[in-house]
Amino acid sequence: MDAIQIYGGNCLHGQVRIQGSKNAVLPILAAALLIDGVCEIENCPAISDVYHMLRLMESLCCTIDRNGHTVRVDAAGVSRCDMPPDSVGVMRSSIMLLGALLARTGSVSMQYPGGCVIGSRPIDLHLEGLRKMGVVIREREDGFDAETKGLTGAVHRLPIVSVGATENLVLAAVLANGNTVIENAAKEPEITALCDFLIKAGAKIEGVGTKRLCIRGVEKLHEVSYKVPADRIVAGTYLAACLCCGGEVFLKGAPCMQMKAVSAAAASMGAGIEESKEGIAVTCIERRVMPPGLITACYPGFPTDLQSAFLAAMTLADGEGVLEETIFENRFRIVPQLRQMGARIDCQKNKVCVSGVRTLCGTTLRAEELRGGAALVIAGCAAQGRSVVKNRHFIERGYEDICHDLCSLGARCKKE
């Protein structure tokens, strides 16, 4: 079965290692296509999105060698420019290959990318930005063909902050002829990781970590070895699990500096947060209190990817609170599922009003996307009785083994 079975009610205690970042490694793998040689990527998470990306890269004539959490990518033989529809359709991150492939081969043919259904995520900004760099794009009903006789630098002023568009334009710009400027660039740690990888390989990028990236195109990049940073969203999920269930948890390797907004939200709910260079210690002995108001925002604000997990924790907090979603309009898909467990949640457009309850009750639930699915698992860990979360495959897109990790902290859950 494609499900997770949970027997809830246990407090969490112990330590869990935080895996490599999903959101960082996918564009880094795309960046490896720009290098005519072998790149070694360490701390690569063993998740289905990575498996899909590696298979897609193999279809483009990359040679992939995986040994545990280390992946060696040899892109010397890259020649194909058409992406298999079955691979592109299951993961949105396949769009990251667009800028890199155009720089490497000059042409791309692909379907529109798939992924989680959490709201409108058009690729207009990607395509418009590439057109400014000399790419001719012909759109079809199910996809598009893109071709260039040579990428040229351009000035991009993004009308909205877009992580994906920023990443794609960076990938296209590092080997382009001339200079590229990206105004209103995303500042997420995943952008920084991508730029660090490319700079280590010989790219010329200034303004990393700011809203203005300046990229001077170079003739070629060289082979590089790079370690993927820890996943701040996985760390935040397990922090929220401690909020849900209570207990004392150490998140080994959690990236403290990237999680300031998350730690502040947890502290506002009554959790004790202790940061160190080794990770984050979370203590939640007393009953949670409702945060004064939680609003998702672009980095360094509270991440939309943790909205569902903290919503699960808020259902068990004392008092009433409001959670506002400003990034995706369809991120409250778990609300009906939480209501089945006894949660009291009222939806109002892009906000939910939560009235805390004493307990949640286990039941059969259905994951509909990655982060919401993980949130249902941690809600099940806090609930009384048995829960089953169906559609485990959504969760495995971003979590190496959520059951193993939570069981190492004292939860009772297993794959079905």
Side-chain angles (χ1 to χ4, degrees), residues 38-105:
V38 179
C39 290
E40 186 172 87
I41 301 169
E42 301 174 15
N43 200 33
C44 184
I47 56 178
S48 64
D49 263 16
V50 166
Y51 297 144
H52 284 302
M53 179 66 91
L54 294 178
R55 283 198 293 269
L56 188 51
M57 293 171 70
E58 284 179 321
S59 75
L60 298 170
C61 300
C62 283
T63 300
I64 305 294
D65 177 36
R66 180 155 196 160
N67 182 15
H69 289 92
T70 299
V71 173
R72 289 170 60 86
V73 178
D74 185 350
V78 169
S79 58
R80 288 188 57 181
C81 59
D82 55 319
M83 300 190 210
D86 56 339
S87 295
V88 173
V90 298
M91 62 179 300
R92 181 171 180 80
S93 298
S94 57
I95 193 66
M96 288 299 99
L97 297 173
L98 178 58
L101 271 180
L102 284 168
R104 184 66 188 270
T105 69

Side-chain angles (χ1 to χ4, degrees), residues 86-160:
D86 56 339
S87 295
V88 173
V90 298
M91 62 179 300
R92 181 171 180 80
S93 298
S94 57
I95 193 66
M96 288 299 99
L97 297 173
L98 178 58
L101 271 180
L102 284 168
R104 184 66 188 270
T105 69
S107 62
V108 175
S109 178
M110 68 179 292
Q111 281 193 325
Y112 293 119
C116 284
V117 183
I118 56 173
S120 176
R121 301 199 289 185
I123 61 171
D124 302 19
L125 295 180
H126 302 245
L127 302 184
E128 185 58 35
L130 291 169
R131 285 187 175 105
K132 292 182 69 173
M133 299 179 74
V135 179
V136 176
I137 299 172
R138 292 176 293 276
E139 297 194 57
R140 310 184 306 269
E141 184 176 341
D142 63 342
F144 58 89
D145 302 307
E147 188 173 4
T148 180
K149 294 181 179 178
L151 293 168
T152 56
V155 176
H156 305 278
R157 295 181 177 86
L158 298 179
I160 59 171

Side-chain angles (χ1 to χ4, degrees), residues 237-289:
T237 301
Y238 297 153
L239 189 157
C242 189
L243 284 175
C244 278
C245 300
E248 297 178 281
V249 168
F250 185 69
L251 308 171
K252 186 177 182 180
C256 304
M257 296 305 295
Q258 299 177 11
M259 295 179 62
K260 293 298 184 182
V262 177
S263 295
S268 75
M269 296 183 70
I273 303 292
E274 203 170 312
E275 300 175 346
S276 68
K277 62 181 181 180
E278 286 81 25
I280 299 177
V282 185
T283 304
C284 191
I285 304 301
E286 303 296 329
R287 183 168 167 81
R288 282 70 66 203
V289 296

